[in-house]
Amino acid sequence: MALTPAQASDAIRKALPEFATQKVALAEACGRILRQSVVAERDQPPFDRVMMDGIALRFDAWRNDLRKFRIQGTQHAGDAVQTLSDEGGCIEIMTGAMLPRKSDCVIPVERIVVSGGIATVQKDYAASSRQFVHPQGSDHRKGQQLLDSGTAISPMEIAIIASCGLPEVSVSSRPVIRVISTGNELVPAGSAIAAHQVRLSNSPALAAMLTEHGFSDCRQEHIVDDPAQLRERLAKQLDEAAILILSGGVSMGKADYVPQVLADLGVRQVFHGISQRPGKPMWFGMGSRQQAVFALPGNPVSTLVCCRQYVLPALFAASGRTLEPQLHAVLSAEFTFEPKLTCFLPVRLSSRDDGVVVATPAPTNTSGDFTALSGTAGYVELAQEQRVFPAGLSVPLHLWDRP
Ligand code: AMP
Ligand code: MG
């Protein structure tokens, strides 16, 4: 019996072991999944940091109506800290410098006039104690945990890792993936095509989706519908790769040899069939060396939905990645779906004035109609138990680019 989508996701996650970790240089870390915690090396800011180019003085002197200050010296960002020698003096300071000792007020350079070594502050200027000082430790303290294992590393996390003084970090290793199209009819772009043939589009799209999410070690292959060739090629791919993603050949047709050949090669079937449209015939199994084999139905819409719905989340889970919370959107119009299956309905997105995200159905003309997917943001999940989905109903939203 076919599993529900939730049961299928669960079965895949239980079967797939976690990927190993590896150390990578900071320059290679963006797009990877962090597999260590990152702890603050120092207070941030590490010292009372001057936030303006200007002069640093003692606020008591200002309070006593002093407005002319003798310039005692200059302190740039990166200079060792100086000490203000007396209340009548000031130190020229630049943004990013340490606040000079015994000073507690920064006056911006725009508010002063300098002449003959004296800085005179504008008459109407109002200063306050510790203004333009970013206090030591006010962003975070030394030893504070800044990043958790499981974080997806974006440029923002790169800044944090670098600020903690780490030249390299531990991340999930990238699995070796093979993306395999099956079918006699398929001809890749760039090759001559006959009337009875079909352009091969699934593996380029699958590889693009995987690469887009950091799984870049994926090679594309094509195998014809011949059991002997399938056996030979899949055996080799099972030797070489940790993850096989096939498309085509898993339905009930006479040339749908994939499940049988995989069984012959010792790949244990975990399930065959999910009560969903598109993608009902999806097959999943585990090889003898714990290789995960996703055999997706060949119809291009099914292939893309199944990759987004099952393959990517499984790869994220095996990468130790913390899952994003489920998003929702409201339907713009009533939608009816008769089959007793979960419906994954492609949608375009917009937002209402009140901030609610609205999903406008962009149904495909059969699951072969992949051109209709262009411009869709993802798809909504319509529950198996319901037939009519009214306008305004809030439903789970799956974005193509944010699994
Ligand atoms: P199958 O799942 O093998 O029965 O294929 C279902 C439909 O998807 C057929 O019309 C195939 O021609 C088409 N199809 C299968 N694989 C691909 C592919 N890699 N690229 C484009 N269309 C495909
Ligand atoms: Mg086929």
Side-chain angles (χ1 to χ4, degrees):
M1 220 188 70
L3 301 186
T4 65
Q7 288 169 334
S9 299
D10 208 44
I12 296 169
R13 292 218 191 130
K14 286 208 176 97
L16 204 61
E18 268 206 350
F19 300 144
T21 61
Q22 65 177 128
K23 290 256 184 197
V24 294
L26 191 55
E28 310 296 324
C30 194
R32 308 295 293 263
I33 308 301
L34 187 66
R35 292 288 290 276
Q36 64 171 80
S37 52
V38 172
V39 168
E41 180 189 32
R42 309 161 77 201
D43 286 350
Q44 175 59 25
F47 43 78
D48 284 344
R49 183 180 74 92
V50 167
M51 295 163 68
M52 285 280 180
D53 299 323
I55 54 172
L57 47 85
R58 186 132 193 91
F59 188 67
D60 276 348
W62 177 272
R63 205 159 30 204
N64 293 333
D65 292 330
L66 202 62
R67 294 294 180 268
K68 289 179 187 293
F69 300 87
R70 182 181 36 78
I71 297 173
Q72 178 193 317
T74 305
Q75 190 184 311
H76 292 271
D79 287 351
V81 69
Q82 297 180 23
T83 303
L84 195 61
S85 54
D86 62 277
E87 289 210 349
C90 69
I91 293 176
E92 282 187 314
I93 35 78
M94 308 302 148
T95 303
M98 288 177 87
L99 183 69
R101 288 200 193 100
K102 296 199 171 162
S103 73
D104 56 1
C105 178
V106 171
I107 312 260
V109 69
E110 295 83 353
R111 302 298 191 166
I112 60 172
V113 175
V114 176
S115 166
I118 304 289
T120 305
V121 184
Q122 276 175 3
K123 269 207 182 63
D124 59 344
Y125 186 68
S128 58
S129 173
R130 293 192 67 82
Q131 68 176 18
F132 303 122
V133 177
H134 184 189
Q136 175 173 349
S138 59
D139 295 356
H140 61 248
R141 287 292 183 190
K142 174 179 175 171
Q144 192 174 323
Q145 185 161 322
L146 301 180
L147 297 176
D148 297 331
S149 181
T151 303
I153 303 175
S154 76
M156 280 55 83
E157 284 74 32
I158 293 287
I160 294 169
I161 296 164
S163 79
C164 291
L166 301 176
E168 56 177 27
V169 276
S170 183
V171 299
S172 286
S173 61
R174 286 189 166 127
V176 177
I177 302 176
R178 292 285 181 273
V179 175
I180 306 148
S181 281
T182 69
N184 289 348
E185 73 279 27
L186 304 172
V187 176
S191 299
I193 193 158
H196 56 278
Q197 294 177 317
V198 170
R199 281 290 178 208
L200 184 158
S201 60
N202 284 350
S203 356
L206 287 171
M209 196 182 261
L210 294 162
T211 303
E212 189 183 21
H213 291 97
F215 300 103
S216 53
D217 190 356
C218 51
R219 204 160 76 202
Q220 299 173 47
E221 313 223 357
H222 172 223
I223 315 178
V224 292
D225 295 316
D226 170 64
Q229 284 203 45
L230 274 168
R231 200 167 291 124
E232 187 194 323
R233 299 277 299 281
L234 290 178
K236 186 162 181 293
Q237 286 151 1
L238 283 166
D239 276 347
E240 294 171 351
I243 310 284
L244 267 52
I245 305 169
L246 292 97
S247 73
V250 289
S251 305
M252 305 302 279
K254 276 193 164 176
D256 290 339
Y257 301 118
V258 166
Q260 186 55 52
V261 169
L262 287 169
D264 294 348
L265 293 171
V267 180
R268 175 181 64 83
Q269 176 183 313
V270 175
F271 64 78
H272 190 182
I274 309 176
S275 55
Q276 63 181 20
R277 186 175 292 167
K280 189 161 180 273
M282 179 175 161
W283 188 101
F284 174 75
M286 293 295 294
S288 54
R289 285 189 308 106
Q290 299 279 79
Q291 311 96 314
V293 182
F294 298 86
L296 314 180
N299 264 310
V301 177
S302 312
T303 299
L304 289 172
V305 167
C306 287
C307 183
R308 163 61 188 81
Q309 187 64 21
Y310 301 105
V311 180
L312 283 175
L315 297 184
F316 282 160
S319 303
R321 177 169 167 159
T322 310
L323 291 183
E324 302 278 349
Q326 178 64 56
L327 300 176
H328 290 81
V330 301
L331 289 175
S332 69
E334 181 180 290
F335 189 79
T336 306
F337 185 72
E338 290 298 341
K340 284 203 166 64
L341 299 169
T342 296
C343 171
F344 292 119
L345 172 68
V347 292
R348 293 170 184 277
L349 290 186
S350 56
S351 65
R352 278 191 336 218
D353 289 352
D354 61 0
V356 168
V357 178
V358 177
T360 301
T364 59
N365 172 26
T366 81
S367 45
D369 177 21
F370 53 98
T371 51
L373 294 180
S374 181
T376 59
Y379 50 88
V380 291
E381 180 172 345
L382 304 181
Q384 183 168 342
E385 301 72 36
Q386 215 166 322
R387 306 276 76 79
V388 180
F389 301 87
L393 183 71
S394 176
V395 286
L397 169 69
H398 306 285
L399 297 175
W400 293 121
D401 61 1
R402 187 180 177 269

